[in-house]
């Protein structure tokens, strides 16, 4: 972070009302110079007024030292300068005090009133003093000289410090405004960066969940069928060599299909890995953090669409899916209600995966049980149900050696819920298991 705003004031800390030590030293120096000037002029004032010289010097020293508080009470400094103007002292006090007043944050009407009072005071004093000097020296000058010199002196003493103070004050307020805007922008960028990082983390979590779900759907179903066929192959290898050859061919085909789908998935993952690592090593300015993090989050969300994975499975492949389970020895009854039609790719893919995972669970947990697959095309939704009867022998699923990861039903529920559908699963009264899902067709 940059040192701005309140942090800048804290970092500058000076004594009393000064923000910086340098400002305190400057004001003390100006006060000393002003006090010496007023003290010397106080001697002349004491002679002219007929008072003790010491009183005039003390008065001058006290009046000149008021410049020490010019930053905290500029009005008091200007009023003192106006008050000592008839005594012909306080030139430095008046100039510096008027500059400090104009550079402060006081209302312009107050600054204008005090500057006018000081100008009028200087004008009157100069007019009277010049008339007295001319009369004392018995000089022959034009009538215009005294007013012209008085006005010029008054303007020369008040106008430059007034204008300079107004300029410095306006510039100071502009810098403070810019500093506040920079602080506000920095806070907004930090907040944007934090929110974008949260979005990116959420997107990464969603991506990991989606990849785990896809890997589970692909591997679990294919490998489950391969294990079932391998078990059947072991059982009929000696009794029916021809059937053993067919089962071996099916195992090979399913293995190749599983490897092909896994290779496609890994290809998608590898295609986006290199650029992300390179981007993490690049250092960017704070002003670009929010934009860069938001872009990263958008890319992470966009990657969830799987641009490299293709359209995915569809409802037209349900028959082949059921046929694969039937070839593995499962008795499957498929029924389709309604007129078959094309739906959104994500809807068909989700429906296919629900049926696929449900049949995989039958292979795992109810080997040998008959299954019923029902698919219904409705007006605005698609309904599917996979129900199996109790297995003929207890523990048949365990004998096939099929482990359960416990993620199948969770993945199906997440897929269906993401599309605004309804998913229900649970055991039936007859001892089997039923999986039902309804997905909006649009």
């Amino acid at each position: 972070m940059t040192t701005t705003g309140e942090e800048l004031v804290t970092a500058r800390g000076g004594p009393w009302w000064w923000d910086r030590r340098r400002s305190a030293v400057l004001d003390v120096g100006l006060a000393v110079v002003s006090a010496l000037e007023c003290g010397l002029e106080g001697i002349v004032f004491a002679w002219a007024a007929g008072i003790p010289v010491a009183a005039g010097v003390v008065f001058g020293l006290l009046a000149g030292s008021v410049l020490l508080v010019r930053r905290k009470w500029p009005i008091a400094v200007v009023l003192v300068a106006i008050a000592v103007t008839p005594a012909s002292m306080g030139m430095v006090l008046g100039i510096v005090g008027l500059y400090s007043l104009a550079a402060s944050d006081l209302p312009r009407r107050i600054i204008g009133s005090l500057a006018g009072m000081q100008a009028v005071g200087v004008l009157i004093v100069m007019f009277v003093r010049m008339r007295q000097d001319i009369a004392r020296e018995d000089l022959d000058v034009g009538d215009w000289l005294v007013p012209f010199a008085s006005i010029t002196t008054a303007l020369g003493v008040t106008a430059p410090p007034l204008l300079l103070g107004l300029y410095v004050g306006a510039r100071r307020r502009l810098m403070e405004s810019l500093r506040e805007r920079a602080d506000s922008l920095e806070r907004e960028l930090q907040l944007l960066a934090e929110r974008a990082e949260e979005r990116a983390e959420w997107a990464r979590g969603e991506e990991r969940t989606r990849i785990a779900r896809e890997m589970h759907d692909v591997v679990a179903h294919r490998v489950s069928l391969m294990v079932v066929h391998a078990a059947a192959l072991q059982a009929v290898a000696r009794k029916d060599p021809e059937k053993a050859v067919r089962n071996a061919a099916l195992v090979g085909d399913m293995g190749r299909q599983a490897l092909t789908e896994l290779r496609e998935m890994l290809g998608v993952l590898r295609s986006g890995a290199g650029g992300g690592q390179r981007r993490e090593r690049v250092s960017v300015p704070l002003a670009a953090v929010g934009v860069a993090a938001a872009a990263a989050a958008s890319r992470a969300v966009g990657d969830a669409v799987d641009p490299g994975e293709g359209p995915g499975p569809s409802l037209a492949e349900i028959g082949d899916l059921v046929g694969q389970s039937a070839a593995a020895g499962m008795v499957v009854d498929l029924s389709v209600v309604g007129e078959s039609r094309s739906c959104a790719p994500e809807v068909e893919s989700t429906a296919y995966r629900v049926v696929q995972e449900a049949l995989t669970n039958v292979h795992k947990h109810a080997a040998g049980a008959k299954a019923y697959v029902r698919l219904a095309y409705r007006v605005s939704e698609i309904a599917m149900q996979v129900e199996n009867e109790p297995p003929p022998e207890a523990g048949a699923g365990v004998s096939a050696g099929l482990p359960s990861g416990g993620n199948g039903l969770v993945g199906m529920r997440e897929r269906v819920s993401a599309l605004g559908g309804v998913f229900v699963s649970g055991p039936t009264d007859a001892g089997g298991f039923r999986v039902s899902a309804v997905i909006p067709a649009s």
Side-chain angles (χ1 to χ4, degrees), residues 52-255:
V53 175
V57 172
V58 172
F59 176 75
L61 291 176
L62 292 177
S65 61
V66 176
L67 202 59
L68 192 66
V69 296
R70 70 182 186 92
R71 296 179 189 269
K72 191 172 181 64
W73 297 299
I75 295 179
V77 175
V78 175
L79 290 176
V80 172
I82 296 173
V84 300
T85 299
S88 299
M89 64 172 63
M91 180 66 67
V92 175
L93 179 65
I95 293 175
V96 178
L98 187 59
Y99 163 80
S100 303
L101 178 69
S104 66
D105 295 331
L106 293 172
R108 294 295 177 86
R109 63 178 182 277
I110 296 178
I111 297 175
S113 300
L114 292 176
M117 291 171 60
Q118 185 168 352
V120 172
V122 174
L123 175 64
I124 294 175
V125 171
M126 286 298 300
F127 185 85
V128 173
R129 291 291 299 273
M130 289 185 68
R131 291 294 297 269
Q132 291 176 350
D133 293 341
I134 292 174
R136 187 182 306 114
E137 297 294 336
D138 194 17
L139 298 176
D140 186 13
V141 296
D143 296 338
W144 59 271
L145 180 60
V146 174
F148 176 77
S150 301
I151 295 174
T152 303
T153 304
L155 292 177
V157 171
T158 58
L162 178 65
L163 296 177
L164 181 61
L166 292 174
Y167 167 76
V168 172
R171 184 175 180 274
R172 183 183 301 161
R173 287 187 290 272
L174 176 62
M175 295 300 296
E176 291 177 355
S177 175
L178 293 177
R179 188 179 296 117
E180 292 177 357
R181 291 179 59 184
D183 288 342
S184 177
L185 179 61
E186 188 173 2
R187 288 191 295 269
E188 291 178 1
L189 286 176
Q190 289 178 346
L191 181 60
L192 178 61
E194 292 174 359
R195 290 182 177 177
E197 182 60 28
E198 292 176 357
R199 285 187 57 201
E201 185 62 29
W202 172 82
R204 286 192 291 268
E206 289 293 317
E207 184 69 5
R208 286 193 293 268
T209 302
R210 186 196 62 80
I211 293 172
R213 187 165 58 240
E214 291 291 338
M215 296 284 286
H216 176 271
D217 290 343
V218 171
V219 175
H221 181 72
R222 301 291 184 189
V223 175
S224 297
L225 292 181
M226 290 170 62
V227 172
V228 172
H229 281 293
L233 176 62
Q234 183 180 4
V236 302
R238 296 181 180 179
K239 299 179 182 179
D240 192 349
E242 294 183 0
K243 187 174 181 180
V245 171
R246 291 196 300 271
N247 287 341
L250 287 173
V251 171
D253 291 341
M254 292 178 183

